[in-house]
């Protein structure tokens, strides 16, 4: 509504703030309805322990945000907003597709924290299912989505090359979402994961700076694929070593 009536970027920012406030109110209403009161049930000592325990996860979340957004920022800086926009449109389809595996992986986290032979079997089955789902999604992105965009959203046709390249990374994105949750369930690995995340970001930024000036959004797409393959291999080695699976 705000953008339509000419408020522009400020309107988008206002809409985001209003949406988050509405989200906060809804969560507060649910807490009241469920009669959950953190103020009376959590001591300062408990809150301190929670904050200290969550600190490594906060760092990893921050590093993950950098990893997912840095390519768009570099594209805009090195090639301009038009190229960044083409890449962003293609990347949006990727982000939408990985919502389901990310949600499933989050649900599995408590089970991974109680690792056993049965959980190991469950993990292998879940990995197989995610890979199969990823390949189905990849086929849709490569063969079905392009004609749909050409007919109904022709203004996004320039993003088809980005979509096709990023589609190749879907199996790795899907599996990595599950692998990362398994690794996060083991506290002893958190420091290693932070170092790995920093190294991956360094590789990602270096490759993007090296190739974006010449190949633009195509370079950013291939770099995303390469880094996801690398992450998947590193996670696989860690899981084989520390979880014996």
């Amino acid at each position: 509504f705000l953008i339509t009536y000419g408020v522009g970027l400020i309107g988008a920012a206002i809409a985001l703030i209003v949406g988050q406030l509405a989200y906060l109110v809804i969560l507060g209403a649910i807490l009241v309805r469920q009669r959950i009161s953190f103020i009376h049930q959590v001591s300062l000592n408990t809150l301190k322990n929670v904050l200290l325990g969550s600190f490594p996860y906060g760092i990893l979340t921050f590093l993950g945000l950098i990893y997912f957004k840095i390519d768009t920022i570099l594209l805009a800086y090195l090639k301009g907003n038009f190229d960044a926009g083409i890449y962003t449109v293609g990347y949006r389809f990727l982000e939408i597709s990985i919502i389901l595996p990310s949600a499933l992986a989050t649900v599995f986290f408590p089970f991974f924290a109680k690792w056993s032979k049965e959980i190991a079997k469950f993990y292998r089955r879940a990995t197989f299912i995610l890979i199969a789902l990823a390949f189905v999604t990849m086929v849709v992105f490569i063969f079905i989505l392009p004609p749909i965009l050409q007919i109904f959203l022709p203004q996004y046709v320039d993003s088809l090359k980005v979509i096709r390249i990023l589609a190749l990374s879907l199996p790795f994105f899907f599996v990595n979402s599950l692998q990362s949750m398994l690794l996060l369930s083991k506290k002893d690995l958190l420091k290693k994961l932070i170092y790995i995340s920093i190294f991956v970001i360094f590789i990602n930024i270096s490759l993007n700076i090296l190739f974006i000036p010449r190949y633009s959004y195509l370079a950013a797409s291939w770099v995303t694929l390469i880094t996801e393959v690398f992450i998947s291999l590193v996670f696989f080695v860690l899981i084989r070593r520390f979880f014996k699976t």
Side-chain angles (χ1 to χ4, degrees):
F1 173 81
L2 292 172
I3 292 174
T4 302
Y5 282 87
V7 183
L9 292 175
I10 295 177
I14 293 173
L16 177 63
I17 295 172
V18 172
Q20 289 300 312
L21 288 174
Y23 184 48
L24 178 63
V25 171
I26 293 172
L27 290 177
I30 293 174
L31 290 175
V32 172
R33 186 172 182 179
Q34 297 296 324
R35 298 180 180 177
I36 299 173
S37 176
F38 291 105
I39 297 177
H40 298 92
Q41 296 175 7
V42 178
S43 64
L44 291 177
N45 188 50
T46 301
L47 183 60
K48 176 183 176 182
N49 292 333
V50 169
L51 290 174
L52 290 175
S54 63
F55 187 68
Y57 297 98
I59 294 176
L60 286 167
T61 301
F62 175 72
L63 293 174
L65 181 63
I66 294 176
Y67 171 72
F68 279 106
K69 299 299 181 182
I70 193 64
D71 46 4
T72 304
I73 295 173
L74 289 174
L75 258 174
Y77 178 75
L78 296 172
K79 297 297 290 185
N81 292 331
F82 180 78
D83 287 39
I86 292 175
Y87 179 75
T88 301
V89 170
Y91 203 88
R92 283 289 181 268
F93 287 96
L94 177 69
E95 288 181 332
I96 293 172
S97 67
I98 63 177
I99 289 176
L100 178 59
S102 298
L104 290 175
T106 303
V107 172
F108 295 156
F109 182 81
F111 298 99
F112 292 155
K114 301 176 182 178
W115 189 253
S116 64
K117 291 183 178 179
E118 290 300 318
I119 301 298
K121 292 179 181 179
F122 172 76
Y123 167 76
R124 288 191 289 270
R125 291 174 183 172
T127 300
F128 176 79
I129 293 172
L130 285 178
I131 291 175
L133 182 61
F135 273 102
V136 172
T137 308
M138 185 173 67
V139 170
V140 171
F141 273 30
I142 295 175
F143 298 105
I144 299 177
L145 185 59
I148 293 177
L149 287 181
Q150 290 172 352
I151 296 173
F152 297 103
L153 297 170
Q155 65 271 32
Y156 295 148
V157 169
D158 290 339
S159 298
L160 287 178
K161 291 181 180 179
V162 173
I163 293 172
R164 289 191 178 99
I165 297 172
L166 293 179
L168 299 176
S169 66
L170 284 174
F172 303 100
F173 267 107
F174 277 45
V175 173
N176 290 348
S177 62
L178 192 65
Q179 289 178 322
S180 61
M181 280 299 165
L182 177 58
L183 293 170
L184 286 171
S185 68
K186 196 174 183 66
K187 291 184 178 180
D188 298 339
L189 292 176
L190 293 179
K191 186 178 292 186
K192 286 185 175 64
L193 291 175
I194 291 175
Y195 292 146
I196 291 171
S197 297
I198 294 173
F199 179 72
V200 169
I201 291 172
F202 173 77
I203 294 298
N204 187 283
I205 292 175
S206 300
L207 291 175
N208 275 313
I209 292 176
L210 183 62
F211 293 107
I212 281 179
R214 183 171 181 179
Y215 299 105
S216 188
Y217 49 81
L218 296 180
S221 303
W222 282 112
V223 169
T224 296
L225 172 59
I226 291 170
T227 50
E228 281 302 311
V229 173
F230 175 77
I231 291 170
S232 184
L233 292 174
V234 172
F235 283 178
F236 176 78
V237 171
L238 288 176
I239 291 171
R240 292 284 292 181
R241 180 178 177 184
F242 292 97
F243 291 90
K244 310 298 181 183
T245 183

